[in-house]
Amino acid sequence: MRWVTVETEFGPRACGVWQGEYVDVNSADPELPSSVRELLALGSEAQHRAWTAMPRGFVRHDPANVRLLAPVPDPRKIVCLGLNYRDHAIETGAPIPPEPVLFNKFPTTLIGHEGQIVLPEVSQEVDYEAELVAVIGRGGKHIPRARAMEYVAGYAVGHDVSARDWQLNKPGKQWLAGKTFDTFAPVGPMLVSASEVPDPHNLGIRLRLNGETMQDSNTNQLIFRLDEVIAYISQIFTLEPGDLIFTGTPPGVGMAHKPPVWLKPGDVVEVEIDGLGTLRNTCVRHGA
Ligand code: MN
């Protein structure tokens, strides 16, 4: 099952990606919600029911003619891991962390496939980071590691855009400030159900900047895998349906290059993960 959120004149609408079209879930079954987050909250049975109803959906969008939002455009939480790839921690000169390094983004960071990354006037060092994003299906607190993967609804391609001057050069190293500028969390193009991803910890992940490969790794390099991450963070807060977990980035980020590579207006960034598709976004200057 593959889900997207389409921008329409009636607001964001949940659609299934079915036979080359985006089929409006609520038009296929009027008892089902028009929000992907609400569909996830209803559980896997409702998602299967929605998928089975796809042939009856009478509101259909041609992918060429609609704008996508992030698959879950309104999550309650966006939780992110820093330094979670062995090879990336080595690249930045940071020690392999003994416990997960956590930060977060606000929902105002979210944009979808083909959305524009706005480069803020106040940053001169905006960097890219390819990431696997896990989407929570079932909520819970103190989730046991052995059952943690049952709480994942699916996966999407993510991009953790990062203003390094704000992340690293402000008093106290304020990761939140550097990571949560508006538009700094492209996610998409779609949410792919966990049942279609046999092993999330063995997926090729790549990032291309204007066609040139800058990151090329595999999620088998993750230091803290999803089951451990979910068990760890659910000690702190309650996970809710639709929450997003950005799992960290592999090596090759712009700041590790000599000289460093920063995003500039007109740059096209593509993040590709095996089985999840390609997320493409263009950078624009603030106010442009
Ligand atoms: Mn990151």
Side-chain angles (χ1 to χ4, degrees):
M1 300 180 288
R2 292 170 177 250
W3 311 106
V4 292
T5 297
V6 169
E7 189 179 69
T8 77
E9 56 182 311
F10 309 108
R13 302 285 294 190
C15 293
V17 183
W18 194 77
Q19 294 194 347
E21 292 182 305
Y22 301 148
V23 180
D24 187 286
V25 167
N26 181 251
S27 84
D29 184 336
E31 288 181 17
L32 290 173
S34 54
S35 142
V36 171
R37 182 166 61 83
E38 288 174 25
L39 183 63
L40 297 179
L42 290 175
S44 58
E45 211 167 293
Q47 291 153 50
H48 282 111
R49 178 173 156 187
W51 194 251
T52 308
M54 287 288 105
R56 299 197 297 277
F58 57 87
V59 177
R60 291 160 182 266
H61 304 279
D62 178 348
N65 296 333
V66 285
R67 247 170 56 91
L68 290 181
L69 301 172
V72 180
D74 57 348
R76 297 272 171 81
K77 288 185 284 299
I78 306 172
V79 184
C80 309
L81 282 98
L83 302 171
N84 199 28
Y85 277 70
R86 212 166 288 283
D87 39 12
H88 173 60
I90 292 165
E91 157 187 76
T92 60
I96 304 285
E99 289 190 46
V101 176
L102 300 174
F103 64 95
N104 69 297
K105 290 172 179 276
F106 295 122
T108 38
T109 55
L110 286 170
I111 58 173
H113 178 58
E114 301 286 12
Q116 292 183 325
I117 298 166
V118 177
L119 303 174
E121 284 172 294
V122 294
S123 173
Q124 274 65 55
E125 299 183 355
V126 180
D127 205 346
Y128 53 82
E129 295 190 354
E131 307 213 0
L132 170 68
V133 172
V135 182
I136 294 296
R138 195 203 311 178
K141 185 131 199 241
H142 297 294
I143 297 167
R145 185 173 176 183
R147 305 203 62 175
M149 298 308 284
E150 298 169 25
Y151 291 72
V152 177
Y155 303 92
V157 182
H159 182 174
D160 173 16
V161 185
S162 305
R164 300 299 185 199
D165 38 5
W166 284 75
Q167 177 193 355
L168 302 172
N169 298 344
K170 300 293 181 188
K173 296 203 176 186
Q174 301 179 51
W175 282 41
L176 173 67
K179 299 282 194 172
T180 205
F181 282 93
D182 289 354
T183 74
F184 270 23
V187 179
M190 62 190 81
L191 165 61
V192 178
S193 289
S195 57
E196 290 191 29
V197 180
D199 184 3
H201 300 112
N202 186 22
L203 300 173
I205 176 168
R206 291 164 286 278
L207 183 143
R208 291 183 292 274
L209 174 59
N210 301 320
E212 185 184 348
T213 299
M214 306 298 278
Q215 295 184 280
D216 188 355
S217 186
N218 190 291
T219 57
N220 63 18
Q221 289 290 309
L222 284 170
I223 297 168
F224 301 104
R225 296 186 165 211
L226 273 166
D227 52 342
E228 193 172 358
V229 169
I230 289 167
Y232 185 88
I233 63 179
S234 71
Q235 300 174 105
I236 309 168
F237 46 77
T238 303
L239 280 168
E240 298 165 286
D243 285 353
L244 307 181
I245 302 173
F246 277 67
T247 55
T249 201
V253 297
M255 71 171 173
H257 284 71
K258 291 183 178 44
V261 175
W262 307 124
L263 295 176
K264 54 186 191 308
D267 277 353
V268 177
V269 189
E270 292 171 296
V271 185
E272 180 183 67
I273 299 179
D274 292 346
L276 304 182
T278 300
L279 168 70
R280 182 171 51 238
N281 299 93
T282 302
C283 301
V284 298
R285 177 84 67 204
H286 173 78

